[in-house]
Amino acid sequence: MYRLILLFTILSLASIISAQKLGIPEIEYFNRRHYGGATQNWKVSQSSDGLMYFANNNGLLEYDGVSWSLYNEMNAGIVRSVKCIGNKIYLGTNNDFGYFEYDSSNRFTYNSLAYSDELKNLGDVWTINGWSDKIVFHTEAGIVLHEEGEETIVIPSISRFISCFVVNEMLLVHDEQKGLLEVRGERIFPVSGGDQLAELNVSSIIALSESEMLISTMNKGLFTWDLNEIKVWDGEVNELLIDANVFCGERYSDDILLFGTIQNGLIVANNDGDLVMEIDKDKGLMNNTILALFVDKEGGVWCGLDNGIARISLNNNVSFISGYYNLGTGYIQERYGNDWFFGTNQAVFKISDKEFKNPLKDRTSFTRVKGTDGQVWSFFRDDTNLLCGHNLGVFEILGNSSRLITPSSVNGVWNFKKVPNNDKLMISGTYNGLILFEKQNDKWVFKKHLEDFIESSRFIEWDQTGRLWISHDFKGVYCISFSTDYNSITSVTQYAANEFSETNNVTVTKINKQMVIIGSRGMYRLSERGTIEQFEEFDHFFSGQYPSNIEEDVYGNLWLIYTDYIEVLRYLEDGTYKKISLPFIPLEKKLVNGFESVFVSDKENVFFGIEDGYAHYVMQDYNNFRIPFNVHLRMFRGRADSLKYTLHQGEGDDYVQSQVPVYPFQKNFFTIDYAATFYSDKDLEYSTYLSGFDDEPTAWGKATRREFTKLREGDYYFTVKARNRYGVQSLPLTFQFKVLPPWHRHMYAKIGYLVIMLIIVFVVTQVFNRRIEASRQKEKLKARQRYQEKEEQLTSEALRAEKEVIKMRNDKLRSEMKFKENELAGLTVHIIQKNDLLIELQGQLNRIKRIKTHAEAERKIDNLIKKIRKDIENETNWESFEKQFEQVHHTFLNRLLEKHNDLTEKEKKLCAYIKMGMASKEIASLMNISTRSVENNRYKLRQKLGLQSGDDLSGYIGAI
């Protein structure tokens, strides 16, 4: 894409020049004080990354758009030739030739290719060309063919090789005696007709086509060669070139040729031989002798002069009729008949159309119109008259002279406005009111001052109703109505300036046949109802900033005039507008502030009044304002660096940083210079960003250097990008560097800190462990003491507990002994009672035995049985059993009654027997009932106790 844009730019240059410029292009001049070298510059070339190189008498000059560098490391000081091929800058000096390139350390170093005695004795190297894969070095003694990796070949001259050219892939040399020759392989061959150029000094050969070439000579002009014969070029410019002494030539575009001369500076011609332009010392070149020509990527023409360097902006479609022509400040312009008239602060100047279009016109071509000395404000023309609004009044221009047609009371006439629907009347605004003109016998004559209005009337416009609107710089806007014959003013209505503007500047103009008021608040127009209303149709073009004035030309284009610049809304066929501003950037801050003027001659030619004359703009859409360009880091240097680092951006963002510089912390000071290789603009802006330092990219500015100091350690990336006044930005360029930490933050220091910390930790750990061990031993002793104390305490308590246990055991034994004694006593008593009963029974049975009668015996036996039953059922025995039972099962009966207080004595007995684990048979014996009765009683007891069928009665009672 980058190359396509450049190709389009170069192809469009022919259109720029072919549309004839009537002024002088902008010229930028550099003298030896600027670039620091000698006066003479022999050759010019441009590298692939955009830098310019010049073969200077003091060495090789390098220019990056901001600063110059001089390299003179060669054996001889004078550099005669330079050519950028690939990444190398080849140059030739006296008895030496070689190339500069950036090495891996970013040093711009020279490498000589003259490594043999033969190569070191060839004299000055005047020309360098690329031919096939070879580099051709031209000296008067011979041609040197160098190819990398191959043996260098020297082709000696026949007499003296004056010049050497590569044209249409042919390597041509001019020998002083043999004329034009061709190099084929390693030999030289004569060409058809080439001997005609013997004894001539061929200065350039330019291809006109694949089979025709244009050959220029120093003293005999130009010739054409069709590969068969050589004949004189029939172009009209040839006669001029013969006298001018052509020293070099270059093709500018498909249709335009450039010739650098010794006598006449730069001569521009087309392929047909017509003169397009001449730029010499009088027109700003500083020196008439051009030793070298080169067309850069933007279409600018570099001239190596005998005294300095110049760049001519031929690619710009704005040229200037200023300086050399000495017209003064341009205020107004008009074309009348076949003549052009220029109104300036000095007078009215006149030039014929033929002379005006003549590329060789000079200051004498402009004639001062007699009687018009002074400030000129305006022109008015019709079919028979040309009037001039002047500081002294109104002049009628009559050829080269003038006639004042207003009385001395009229001072300062700003303008002319014909009365609507009346071709015989015209009103002009003056310094102090309005004046009326009337046309009599095809001549305009002053009629009268219009009374009742005395304000300055610089801007006046008629509205649709026939009223005149006037804007005043400080007092606002006036609306004036006239009588039907316009001989008097009938009413004046004033509108304050603050109704339309925050400042005092208010202007009235006419757009699309409508009266429009322009102020800083917006645009206003007269509505159909006669009121002033907002006019917003064009607001989207203004971005909130309204122009100070708008002028509509005859083609419907609207010229927007601002304080320091100008734009145009071009009227399109579909009725819409297209805003155009880029072509007028060269006019910025050159217009006459407050008195800007636009004169549209035709659809292609527009003129502007500027502070030093006039500017001519060729209104065509051929110029490419979007040309890409590169930004370069020209110098990166630390405080202790002996060599600077550079980083150049190639096509697009093609660049490689081969080395990342590393700096110790104590040398933490950096200077960074950067530049962009866009030579058409000296107002380039830059934005930079240093990662780790800047929060965001810097604002756009013109500074080309940044300095940094006391950066923290780390990896840094410095990024720079550039922007030209056309709004085109370069791709960003990034340079990396590294700052090491200070010694106390260095890695080795951190390792040392770590070792020290480990030692400290070890020592502290040892001390701590020892203290812990001592503390542990102390605690161990204390614990042992506490253990002994506890052991003694426990022993004491154990003894006390043992004593208690023994006491309890003794008490228990005593209780058991007492119980046993009581049981034994009870058993003894029971035995005694039983024995007494048995003895008594024995006695009664013995007595019954002695009874003789059966009845008596039965009666005695019945009494005995009753007594036994009574003894069995004796409650005293139960009470005795209960007392003994409670001693064994202390509170069983009480708890039983607490839970079941409705139990009978018999049921209580049954529970007691079950508690003691007696079987039903034993219980039946004790209760003197049958076993079945015991089971029935157990069943009834279960129900009374609330037990279920699966519940265990013995277990339930045993748990109480």
Side-chain angles (χ1 to χ4, degrees), residues 770-786:
R770 289 180 180 179
R771 290 186 177 181
I772 290 176
E773 182 64 22
S775 177
R776 192 173 65 81
Q777 292 297 331
K778 291 180 180 179
E779 289 295 327
K780 188 175 180 180
L781 291 174
K782 290 180 180 179
R784 184 176 297 173
Q785 293 175 358
R786 288 195 298 267

Side-chain angles (χ1 to χ4, degrees), residues 166-172 182 205-214 224-228 251 254 271:
V166 174
V167 186
N168 289 343
E169 299 182 359
M170 300 172 61
L171 178 57
L172 302 173
E182 181 183 2
I205 302 179
I206 303 173
L208 295 176
S209 66
E210 292 184 357
S211 60
E212 187 177 15
M213 302 179 192
L214 185 66
T224 59
W225 178 45
D226 61 3
L227 304 183
N228 291 314
R251 176 166 291 283
D254 289 343
N271 286 346

Side-chain angles (χ1 to χ4, degrees), residues 91 137 142 178 262 265 292 359 366 380 424 474 482 486 510 524 530 548 586 605 719 745 748 751 753 856 858 878 886:
L91 69 155
F137 298 93
K178 296 296 182 179
I262 294 177
F366 293 86
F380 170 81
K424 298 294 184 180
F474 306 104
F482 298 90
Y486 290 94
K510 184 164 282 189
Y524 304 83
S548 59
N605 296 280
T719 301
R745 289 203 297 266
Y748 297 123
I751 294 174
Y753 299 152
E856 183 64 24
E858 286 182 354
W878 165 250
E886 286 181 353

Side-chain angles (χ1 to χ4, degrees), residues 54-302:
F54 305 84
N56 184 267
N57 275 6
N58 278 3
L60 176 67
L61 287 175
E62 181 185 63
Y63 182 53
D64 58 19
V66 175
S67 59
W68 294 84
S69 300
L70 177 65
Y71 303 95
N72 50 13
E73 291 85 352
M74 297 71 66
N75 295 333
I78 298 178
V79 178
R80 297 291 188 182
S81 56
V82 63
K83 185 74 170 182
C84 299
I85 302 175
N87 295 324
K88 298 178 180 179
I89 294 87
Y90 291 92
L91 69 155
T93 64
N94 182 257
N95 290 325
D96 190 21
F97 56 90
Y99 61 90
F100 274 93
E101 68 174 351
Y102 286 92
D103 60 18
S104 59
S105 300
N106 291 302
R107 294 176 299 180
F108 195 53
T109 57
Y110 176 70
N111 301 276
S112 176
L113 296 174
Y115 49 80
S116 66
D117 292 338
E118 180 185 14
L119 296 176
K120 292 179 180 179
N121 291 283
L122 294 174
D124 287 319
V125 178
W126 291 97
T127 311
I128 303 173
N129 286 297
W131 180 51
S132 186
D133 295 329
K134 299 178 177 61
I135 308 299
V136 181
F137 298 93
H138 154 239
T139 70
E140 293 182 351
I143 297 294
V144 178
L145 303 179
H146 169 76
E147 184 175 1
E148 190 171 353
E150 302 291 337
E151 184 180 355
T152 300
I153 300 170
V154 178
I155 303 175
S157 63
I158 298 173
S159 58
R160 181 168 69 97
F161 285 160
I162 297 176
S163 54
C164 174
F165 311 94
V166 174
V167 186
N168 289 343
E169 299 182 359
M170 300 172 61
L171 178 57
L172 302 173
V173 294
H174 179 243
D175 186 81
E176 187 176 31
Q177 294 183 359
K178 296 296 182 179
L180 191 62
L181 306 170
E182 181 183 2
V183 178
R184 302 173 194 166
E186 301 178 10
R187 299 180 60 189
I188 298 178
F189 299 90
V191 299
S192 178
D195 55 344
Q196 294 179 235
L197 300 176
E199 305 297 333
L200 300 180
N201 190 335
V202 175
S203 54
S204 71
I205 302 179
I206 303 173
L208 295 176
S209 66
E210 292 184 357
S211 60
E212 187 177 15
M213 302 179 192
L214 185 66
I215 301 172
S216 64
T217 64
M218 185 78 71
N219 300 310
K220 299 296 182 178
L222 277 68
F223 301 84
T224 59
W225 178 45
D226 61 3
L227 304 183
N228 291 314
E229 61 176 337
I230 295 177
K231 57 184 179 180
V232 176
W233 190 35
D234 58 1
E236 295 180 0
V237 75
N238 202 5
E239 293 184 7
L240 176 64
L241 293 173
I242 291 174
D243 296 331
N245 304 130
V246 178
F247 192 86
C248 54
E250 191 75 29
R251 176 166 291 283
Y252 184 75
S253 63
D254 289 343
D255 189 51
I256 299 300
L257 307 172
L258 306 176
F259 299 99
T261 70
I262 294 177
Q263 308 296 336
N264 291 48
L266 178 67
I267 294 178
V268 183
N270 58 27
N271 286 346
D272 296 327
D274 300 324
L275 178 65
V276 175
M277 186 182 302
E278 182 190 45
I279 304 174
D280 56 12
K281 183 177 180 179
D282 288 339
K283 296 178 181 178
L285 198 56
M286 297 297 178
N287 190 281
N288 277 337
T289 300
I290 297 178
L291 304 177
L293 288 173
F294 183 83
V295 180
D296 65 24
K297 297 177 181 180
E298 301 164 33
V301 178
W302 292 88

Side-chain angles (χ1 to χ4, degrees), residues 3 23 73 361 471 491 586 646 682 768 883 908:
R3 294 182 177 179
E73 291 85 352
K361 64 179 177 291
S471 62
S491 66
T646 60
K682 294 304 165 188
F768 186 70
K883 183 176 181 182
K908 289 165 57 179

Side-chain angles (χ1 to χ4, degrees), residues 612-848:
D612 187 25
Y614 295 85
H616 173 218
Y617 165 59
V618 180
M619 192 164 55
Q620 291 184 356
D621 292 329
Y622 45 69
N623 203 354
N624 176 26
F625 297 98
R626 300 296 179 185
I627 301 174
F629 62 97
N630 299 325
V631 65
H632 309 290
L633 191 141
R634 297 292 292 142
M635 182 189 73
F636 181 92
R637 178 171 286 170
R639 173 174 291 175
D641 284 344
S642 58
L643 296 173
K644 65 180 181 179
Y645 291 90
T646 60
L647 185 61
H648 292 168
Q649 190 179 70
E651 293 185 359
D653 59 350
D654 181 22
Y655 64 92
V656 176
Q657 183 178 349
S658 58
Q659 184 177 2
V660 177
V662 179
Y663 295 91
F665 188 83
Q666 62 270 24
K667 297 180 181 179
N668 191 338
F669 179 84
F670 307 101
T671 301
I672 306 176
D673 289 343
Y674 40 88
T677 49
F678 188 79
Y679 304 102
S680 299
D681 184 6
K682 294 304 165 188
D683 294 322
L684 287 171
E685 295 180 320
Y686 300 87
S687 176
T688 62
Y689 174 74
L690 181 64
S691 65
F693 181 83
D694 294 324
D695 294 331
E696 58 184 14
T698 62
W700 291 102
K702 296 182 180 180
T704 58
R705 169 176 287 189
R706 285 195 71 181
E707 294 181 347
F708 301 96
T709 186
K710 296 182 180 179
L711 296 176
R712 285 191 62 83
E713 65 271 15
D715 292 315
Y716 288 90
Y717 296 87
F718 179 80
T719 301
V720 58
K721 58 182 179 179
R723 179 179 70 178
N724 63 24
R725 55 183 173 177
Y726 301 111
V728 180
Q729 293 187 21
S730 70
L731 292 171
L733 177 75
T734 300
F735 181 83
Q736 180 184 2
F737 65 98
K738 183 175 184 178
V739 177
L740 296 176
W743 66 267
H744 57 278
R745 289 203 297 266
H746 200 277
M747 181 59 67
Y748 297 123
K750 292 180 180 179
I751 294 174
Y753 299 152
L754 180 60
V755 172
I756 293 173
M757 288 179 62
L758 291 175
I759 293 173
I760 293 173
V761 169
F762 177 77
V763 172
V764 170
T765 302
Q766 292 297 318
V767 173
F768 186 70
N769 288 338
R770 289 180 180 179
R771 290 186 177 181
I772 290 176
E773 182 64 22
S775 177
R776 192 173 65 81
Q777 292 297 331
K778 291 180 180 179
E779 289 295 327
K780 188 175 180 180
L781 291 174
K782 290 180 180 179
R784 184 176 297 173
Q785 293 175 358
R786 288 195 298 267
Y787 176 76
Q788 291 175 352
E789 293 174 358
K790 190 69 173 179
E791 187 177 19
E792 292 175 357
Q793 181 181 355
L794 291 174
T795 303
S796 176
E797 290 179 355
L799 291 174
R800 286 196 299 269
E802 188 175 357
K803 289 179 180 179
E804 290 293 331
V805 170
I806 293 172
K807 180 181 179 183
M808 291 175 64
R809 187 183 297 122
N810 293 334
D811 291 341
K812 183 177 180 182
L813 291 173
R814 282 193 292 270
S815 297
E816 289 178 352
M817 186 178 293
K818 185 177 180 180
F819 175 73
K820 296 294 182 180
E821 289 175 352
N822 291 335
E823 187 179 23
L824 182 60
L827 182 59
T828 303
V829 172
H830 181 67
I831 293 172
I832 293 172
Q833 289 178 350
K834 289 297 182 181
N835 288 335
D836 290 341
L837 177 59
L838 292 173
I839 291 171
E840 183 178 355
L841 288 175
Q842 183 181 8
Q844 289 184 9
L845 288 173
N846 289 326
R847 285 190 298 271
I848 291 172

